[in-house]
Amino acid sequence: MNVLDTDFAKQFVRAAAEGWRQGWHECNGGNLSYRLRPDEAAQVAACLDPGEWRPLAEGVQAPGVAGEHFLVTAAGSFFSNVEREPQACAGIIEVDRHGTAFRPCWGFAGEGRPTSELPSHLLNHEAKKAATEGACRVVYHAHPANLVALTFVLPLEGKAFTRELWKAISECALVFPAGVGVLEWMNPGSVELGRASAELMRDHDAVVWAHHGIICAGSTFDQAFGLLHTVEKASEILVKVRAMQPEPRSFITDENIRTMSDAYGLGIDVA
Ligand code: 13P
Ligand code: ZN
C-alpha cells in the first residue's frame, strides 16, 4: 500500500496542517513523529527503499525502540508545506536492532533527512513506550507563542508551572492530571535536551522547553495534539489575565482542584 494512502500517514499530515493553522510553526519550527505498529510497517513494506545506516547522534542509544519504524518530519521542513509535499517534508526511518543507528526508508525527497530533534523524539518515544506498555505512538514538538511567553515569567519548575496552568482553566486538571515537566533553556536539537526531556516524560506527557516550545506525547495524534492545544489555551488565558489584572479577583483554588480530582478520580495531590 502507498504510504500516503495509509491511515497513519493521513493523520500525520492532518495534524501537521492543523498545527500550522494554529500558528505554532513559524518557518521550520516544530517536528512530529509517529511510531508505526508492526502491521502498519508490513502494510507499506513494499514501498520502503532502505538507504545507508547512520548513527542516531553522538552517543545516543535507544534500545527500547530497536527495530521500530517511525514516520518523522524532515529537518528544515515547514509545517505549512507538509500537506502539499508530504514526501519531501517527512519520511520513514528504521532504527537498527541495537538502537544506535537509523536508515531512511521512504520520503525525505530532495536530499532531506530527519528532524534535528531526532534525539528528543527517539528518546521520548523510548521512555513513553516503556511507561505506557507500548501504547504511546506520537511525539509532537511545537512553538506556541503564549506558552513560550509564560516561560519568561513563571518559575521554571514543573510543580509550580503546572499549578498555574491547572488554575487557568478547569479542563487542564482533567487533560493532564500528571502535570507538565519543565526544562530551563537548552540547546535545540541537542542530545542533552533529548535526555532531559525523556527523563521527565517518564512521569508526564508534556515537557515545556523554556524560551523555545513544548514536546508532547500521546497514544494517538488527537491525544498529543489535544494536550498541546489545551496547554496553549491555558497559557493564552493566563497571559490575558495577567495583562489585564496582575491580582485576579477570583481563580480556581486548591480546593476546587481537589473537588475535581475526587469527582473524576484524577489522583492529583494538591499539597
Ligand atoms: P527541524 O527543522 O530540524 O525539525 O527543527 C525545528 C525545531 O523546532 C528545532 O527545535
Ligand atoms: Zn523547536
Side-chain angles (χ1 to χ4, degrees):
M1 187 176 198
N2 192 319
V3 172
L4 295 174
D5 291 334
T6 61
D7 196 45
F8 69 87
K10 285 181 185 163
Q11 289 193 52
F12 183 99
V13 170
R14 184 174 149 247
E18 191 49 44
W20 159 247
R21 282 191 277 274
Q22 293 289 336
W24 301 338
H25 299 284
E26 76 294 340
C27 207
N28 63 307
N31 18 78
L32 177 63
S33 63
Y34 173 74
R35 185 168 59 85
L36 275 67
R37 294 194 316 258
D39 61 300
E40 290 168 330
Q43 208 178 16
V44 297
C47 308
L48 303 186
D49 179 19
E52 297 287 310
W53 291 107
R54 303 171 199 178
L56 287 185
E58 192 90 6
V60 171
Q61 297 189 347
V65 292
E68 302 259 18
H69 287 82
F70 294 87
L71 176 59
V72 50
T73 47
S77 64
F78 286 32
F79 268 52
S80 55
N81 292 333
V82 172
E83 207 167 20
R84 204 158 30 88
E85 297 182 301
Q87 218 150 332
C89 294
I92 293 177
I93 60 166
E94 178 188 1
V95 175
D96 76 340
R97 62 197 172 90
H98 306 294
T100 56
F102 76 95
R103 57 181 178 181
C105 297
W106 175 90
F108 304 117
E111 313 267 301
R113 61 193 161 79
T115 170
S116 60
E117 299 287 5
L118 193 62
S120 273
H121 280 263
L122 293 183
L123 293 172
N124 281 301
H125 271 293
E126 185 183 42
K128 292 311 290 184
K129 182 184 167 189
T132 63
E133 294 175 357
C136 178
R137 297 206 166 263
V138 179
V139 171
Y140 181 23
H141 163 56
H143 300 171
N146 293 290
L147 172 67
V148 174
L150 279 187
T151 66
F152 289 86
V153 298
L154 293 186
L156 297 178
E157 189 275 317
K159 239 180 165 163
F161 206 102
T162 296
R163 238 178 150 82
E164 294 282 344
L165 295 173
W166 279 348
K167 292 185 167 196
I169 172 172
S170 309
E171 197 65 13
C172 284
L174 298 167
V175 174
F176 50 96
V180 298
V182 178
L183 289 174
E184 293 198 358
W185 186 89
M186 296 179 82
N187 197 20
S190 64
V191 172
E192 292 71 33
L193 176 59
R195 289 204 175 111
S197 303
E199 189 64 37
L200 291 174
M201 275 289 188
R202 284 183 227 285
D203 298 322
H204 309 281
D205 291 325
V207 177
V208 177
W209 292 352
H211 322 320
H212 180 164
I214 182 170
I215 192 160
C216 289
S219 37
T220 62
F221 288 95
D222 279 348
Q223 243 181 34
F225 190 96
L227 171 56
L228 209 151
H229 203 179
T230 309
V231 170
E232 172 57 2
K233 185 157 193 186
S235 302
E236 183 182 351
I237 290 167
L238 274 179
V239 166
K240 285 179 172 163
V241 169
R242 282 177 171 242
M244 285 188 293
Q245 175 62 273
E247 302 289 335
R249 290 184 179 209
S250 66
F251 42 81
I252 297 172
T253 64
D254 286 353
E255 193 48 43
N256 296 152
I257 293 175
R258 239 173 254 125
T259 302
M260 274 196 291
S261 180
D262 291 347
Y264 293 96
L266 305 176
I268 291 178
D269 175 14
V270 205

